[in-house]
Amino acid sequence: KPHFLSVTDLNEVEVANLLDLAESFVALNRQTSKKLDLLAGRTLMNLFFENSTRTQSSFELAGKRLGADVVNMSPRSSSIAKGETLIDTAVTLNAMQPDLLVVRHASSGAASLLSQKVTCSVVNAGDGQHEHPTQALLDALSMRRACGRIAGLKVAICGDIAHSRVARSNIAMLQMLGAEVRLVGPPTLMPSQVDRWNVAVHHDMRKGIAGCDVVMMLRLQLERMDGVMAPSQREYFRFWGLDREKLAHAAPNVKVMHPGPMNRGVEIDSDVADDLTVSLIQDQVEMGVAARMAVLATLAARLDNER
Ligand code: CP
């Protein structure tokens, strides 16, 4: 079965096709009548083992707008709370004959593991610190719409890189599409494998974002750190929080992004986050529905071809 697990499984043509298809869904989503039947008769199950506002609701809307039946499984109200394992849960749901299983889990590799245990298509909605491929797709769509292109853009990804699946997926996708990616953050929040990513690494925020067309801020993921490693939030904002003064070092028409959820006053100042002349944060949320529709429609078309 076709799956959507990692940006590294895609090539440039496939990404371009997904972005173009997503663009057509943006227009649809702004209409009063938003329904298509590309997934009519299909069943999509959302299986989120970690909290989500944006990803889960946008996959639900994406499935419904394409005509699928959508079921949301919450670990707190399911038999996972009684000790059922990830694999047993997925195999049980698979026995109900879904066509698409959208999975978020705290363990890196969880979606890939499930894809080997079930007979339906699996979509990775975020696996630990590994990947969040639909986030990278919606971010690329937001950037392309705001800047008119991705190739040649200077993009600074800033903050807690070490714990960020968003950073890993974005680095892979932006490099594939020809952007120049810089990573900006404290040495303690840079992963050890950064040397293999072919990116410039900066430990001074002002120098790191100098001349950048896009500044992508990341959430400080305190839940993935132990107490010793976690920085003081006030100190963190002083050195790594994006405010007007630091942003002035970027390119004149800079766009600011954040995948959400935001820690206001920690990695980003409200003054910047809420300025719609620079902030793409709400656009990113809107593009999330369109990008996920493109992924689901593409998988469904491949499932149709296999019939
Ligand atoms: N960006 C993102 O994945 O947000 P959620 O955790 O709310 O889904």
Side-chain angles (χ1 to χ4, degrees):
K1 287 285 191 293
H3 303 293
F4 193 84
L5 301 174
S6 165
V7 171
T8 58
D9 295 334
L10 303 169
N11 62 40
E12 199 180 333
V13 173
E14 288 168 324
V15 172
N17 288 340
L18 284 166
L19 292 174
D20 290 344
L21 185 57
E23 187 66 54
S24 72
F25 292 136
V26 176
L28 175 86
N29 287 336
R30 289 181 178 178
Q31 292 173 14
T32 311
S33 174
K34 300 171 170 52
K35 279 270 196 178
L36 292 177
D37 60 2
L38 296 173
L39 265 68
R42 299 279 184 197
T43 301
L44 181 155
M45 286 186 169
N46 268 330
L47 182 55
F48 278 61
F49 290 84
E50 280 189 325
N51 293 343
S52 170
T53 296
R54 283 145 283 265
T55 313
Q56 181 165 352
S57 53
S58 59
F59 267 115
E60 181 175 356
L61 274 179
K64 287 180 172 169
R65 287 183 183 171
L66 293 172
D69 296 315
V70 180
V71 176
N72 289 310
M73 289 296 304
S74 161
R76 272 182 289 276
S77 60
S78 73
S79 289
I80 295 159
K82 300 178 198 163
E84 195 159 49
T85 66
L86 163 69
I87 292 174
D88 283 341
T89 303
V91 168
T92 299
L93 296 176
N94 185 59
M96 298 180 203
Q97 306 295 325
D99 302 285
L100 298 143
L101 191 59
V102 179
V103 182
R104 170 172 286 190
H105 197 276
S107 297
S108 299
S112 175
L113 175 68
L114 288 194
S115 73
Q116 295 159 33
K117 305 283 180 191
V118 299
T119 54
C120 60
S121 290
V122 175
V123 180
N124 182 3
D127 63 327
Q129 300 170 21
H130 176 231
E131 278 236 29
H132 195 350
T134 58
Q135 179 73 44
L137 192 65
L138 77 87
D139 287 342
L141 183 62
S142 307
M143 255 179 247
R144 195 175 79 163
R145 288 173 63 86
C147 305
R149 69 197 159 96
I150 294 178
L153 287 181
K154 291 186 175 69
V155 181
I157 304 179
C158 305
D160 183 359
I161 311 287
H163 300 100
S164 179
R165 54 197 178 206
V166 174
R168 285 167 179 78
S169 287
N170 261 302
I171 291 164
M173 188 167 289
L174 289 169
Q175 288 186 333
M176 188 196 307
L177 299 177
E180 177 194 318
V181 181
R182 303 179 193 175
L183 301 183
V184 182
T188 48
L189 294 177
M190 284 291 164
S192 52
Q193 67 266 42
V194 76
D195 295 340
R196 287 187 258 129
W197 289 350
N198 193 27
V199 288
V201 176
H202 293 265
H203 300 306
D204 177 306
M205 181 114 178
R206 292 168 185 82
K207 285 185 185 152
I209 68 174
C212 278
D213 304 293
V214 176
V215 176
M216 183 184 291
M217 300 307 301
L218 298 174
R219 184 170 67 87
L220 187 62
Q221 300 196 29
L222 294 169
E223 78 277 19
R224 299 194 204 275
M225 302 176 199
D226 59 34
V228 178
M229 202 179 153
S232 133
Q233 297 188 24
R234 187 138 40 113
E235 277 289 280
Y236 187 84
F237 181 73
R238 194 169 143 228
F239 289 101
W240 307 106
L242 185 65
D243 57 14
R244 291 268 179 211
E245 185 278 315
K246 294 191 192 82
L247 189 61
H249 292 76
N253 293 323
V254 65
K255 297 295 176 194
V256 172
M257 301 178 73
H258 192 305
M262 279 185 282
N263 293 310
R264 290 172 182 267
V266 180
E267 70 265 1
I268 192 163
D269 195 6
S270 287
D271 187 33
V272 173
D274 297 335
D275 178 352
L276 298 181
T277 65
V278 298
S279 172
L280 299 184
I281 295 169
Q282 294 309 317
D283 300 78
Q284 288 173 267
V285 177
E286 181 184 0
M287 295 312 126
V289 181
R292 287 163 182 136
M293 287 171 80
V295 170
L296 296 178
T298 302
L299 287 173
R302 290 178 62 188
L303 289 171
D304 289 342
N305 286 338
E306 286 181 2
R307 272 182 179 157

